[in-house]
Amino acid sequence: MKNKIPIIIDTDPGHDDALAIMFAVKSGIFDIKAITTVAGNSTIENTTRNARYILKLLDREDISVYSGSAKPLVRELIKAVVHGESGLEGIDPKNESKLTNDAVDKIIKIVKENENITLVTLGPLTNIARAIEEDNEAMKRVKQIVIMGGAIKVPGNKDRVAEFNIFVDPDAANIVFNFPVKKFLVPLDACNHVQLQLEDFEKLNGTSLYEPIMAMMKPYIENIFKDEGIKAALMYDPLTIYYLFNPDACKVKEYDLKIETKGELTRGMTVAELRSSTKDYNINVIETIDGESFKKDFINILKQEK
Ligand code: RIB
Ligand code: CA
């Protein structure tokens, strides 16, 4: 795969995960070594079945799916509400979950066998943290980890301070945020202003993805309105892929970020050192993404029939 970016996508589909996988596959710029699934938006059975469904829709079942963690490192699983019970409300995937329970081993194996792997994480960080704990040395070979998560100068979306992915498994996030490899974070700060409507997806009319995407987006928008009072499809995970697709559309700054793992009111908060004192930078934060540029590129890529 000449000059393609070698990646593993760790994900908990999820409506926005589904769109992110479609965008990554159809962009043609990635050599997707594997998709690994994690519980988060829904159970591991559902997120794995949904990942397989999306690849079937894309006619890319050649991409391996390895299922992983059914629950956070030490806590009970708290699922999202905006994706419905199945994790992909609006469609009824007929395929099986086919759990393999080997995501962690496969992440380590792929990282060992390949140079410059980028890990893209779209769900709770449980699989990545387990891989780091299992083979710390091997995981240092990773080129970078690009993480959807966190809320720095904006409120959370799970509660007043925490973003969902970090909230679900803050202990795993703590391990990953302290791991000495290059990391990029796409927090709510960069995502909240990018809001798509059904009219935006109408531009896909006539393509093979139009029907399933519209079937997914209708309940996704309704559920977000009920849960967060915003009548729009929020693009958290596609924006994370977009950072790799068009980094020039993104403003990036180094941060010293810590994860709250003990707080009763602040579990999963990403706590930034914003004072001017010397900082122990540990992560590059995508502070802003050009929403119009994203929307144009995103829809154009999804429209491609190839
Ligand atoms: O907070 C948004 C994140 O949580 C997204 O990845 C969404 O899919 C959910 O996993
Ligand atoms: Ca997700």
Side-chain angles (χ1 to χ4, degrees):
M1 298 255 181
K2 203 169 75 56
N3 299 334
K4 293 201 172 186
I5 304 170
I7 65 171
I8 295 172
I9 301 175
D10 190 76
T11 177
D12 63 337
H15 292 76
D16 59 324
D17 303 70
L19 293 175
I21 294 167
M22 292 173 179
F23 183 46
V25 168
K26 292 177 80 72
S27 73
I29 69 165
F30 299 108
D31 172 11
I32 304 174
K33 297 294 186 185
I35 286 183
T36 53
T37 57
V38 65
N41 282 324
S42 188
T43 62
I44 190 67
E45 289 80 5
N46 286 339
T47 60
T48 306
R49 186 200 57 205
N50 296 338
R52 295 190 188 284
Y53 167 76
I54 296 303
L55 291 177
K56 193 171 178 181
L57 268 189
L58 294 164
D59 196 20
R60 287 301 310 273
E61 291 178 281
D62 58 293
I63 296 173
S64 301
V65 175
Y66 303 114
S67 69
S69 308
K71 63 179 287 298
L73 289 183
V74 291
R75 299 164 198 252
E76 288 316 304
L77 175 64
I78 294 175
K79 295 177 287 186
V81 294
V82 295
H83 303 281
E85 195 49 43
S86 71
L88 218 44
E89 184 179 346
I91 52 99
D92 176 17
K94 297 276 180 281
N95 48 295
E96 294 305 307
S97 298
K98 276 194 283 181
L99 297 185
T100 60
N101 303 310
D102 58 355
V104 173
D105 291 342
K106 292 293 187 187
I107 288 167
I108 295 167
K109 183 172 186 294
I110 293 165
V111 167
K112 273 180 168 172
E113 290 174 353
N114 295 273
E115 300 298 321
N116 297 323
I117 290 285
T118 292
L119 297 181
V120 180
T121 70
L122 306 178
L125 289 162
T126 318
N127 288 340
I128 311 305
R130 283 176 54 201
I132 290 168
E133 288 187 320
E134 195 150 312
D135 196 335
N136 197 282
E137 279 317 299
M139 290 301 284
K140 285 179 182 158
R141 289 173 46 84
V142 161
K143 177 183 178 186
Q144 59 192 349
I145 308 176
V146 181
I147 301 161
M148 192 284 132
I152 297 173
K153 297 176 185 170
V154 297
N157 61 357
K158 177 65 186 105
D159 63 20
R160 61 182 69 190
V161 292
E163 176 279 325
F164 178 79
N165 286 338
I166 309 298
F167 173 89
V168 168
D169 198 343
D171 310 289
N174 195 34
I175 290 167
V176 175
F177 276 50
N178 287 315
F179 191 56
V181 298
K182 206 169 179 61
K183 297 176 287 288
F184 291 87
L185 183 75
V186 180
L188 298 186
D189 309 63
C191 301
N192 286 344
H193 69 292
V194 185
Q195 302 182 3
L196 268 63
Q197 302 298 336
L198 289 179
E199 299 83 83
D200 295 304
F201 294 103
E202 277 297 339
K203 298 184 180 96
L204 303 176
N205 199 341
T207 70
S208 59
L209 291 178
Y210 174 69
E211 297 265 316
I213 286 179
M214 292 303 275
M216 286 190 272
M217 287 301 107
K218 286 184 183 117
Y220 181 47
I221 291 170
E222 281 156 24
N223 292 341
I224 286 176
F225 184 58
K226 274 185 239 150
D227 188 52
E228 299 180 44
I230 302 165
K231 200 150 183 66
L234 296 173
M235 293 287 112
Y236 305 114
D237 294 340
L239 285 162
T240 305
I241 299 290
Y242 193 63
Y243 163 68
L244 290 165
F245 181 87
N246 185 5
D248 293 343
C250 305
K251 179 168 166 277
V252 185
K253 190 172 165 220
E254 280 189 306
Y255 271 73
D256 170 351
L257 273 190
K258 297 198 181 312
I259 306 290
E260 174 54 67
T261 59
K262 307 252 181 319
E264 192 183 324
L265 297 175
T266 53
R267 159 191 169 157
M269 183 176 182
T270 40
V271 185
E273 174 56 273
L274 298 175
R275 294 169 298 179
S276 57
S277 57
T278 52
K279 294 185 170 86
D280 185 10
Y281 296 129
N282 61 326
I283 197 159
N284 304 282
V285 172
I286 284 78
E287 291 188 315
T288 60
I289 300 177
D290 178 333
E292 287 313 307
S293 173
F294 163 77
K295 206 187 279 190
K296 177 177 63 64
D297 292 337
F298 178 61
I299 296 296
N300 283 342
I301 291 286
L302 289 188
K303 260 166 58 174
Q304 287 172 13
E305 289 282 33
K306 68 169 191 311

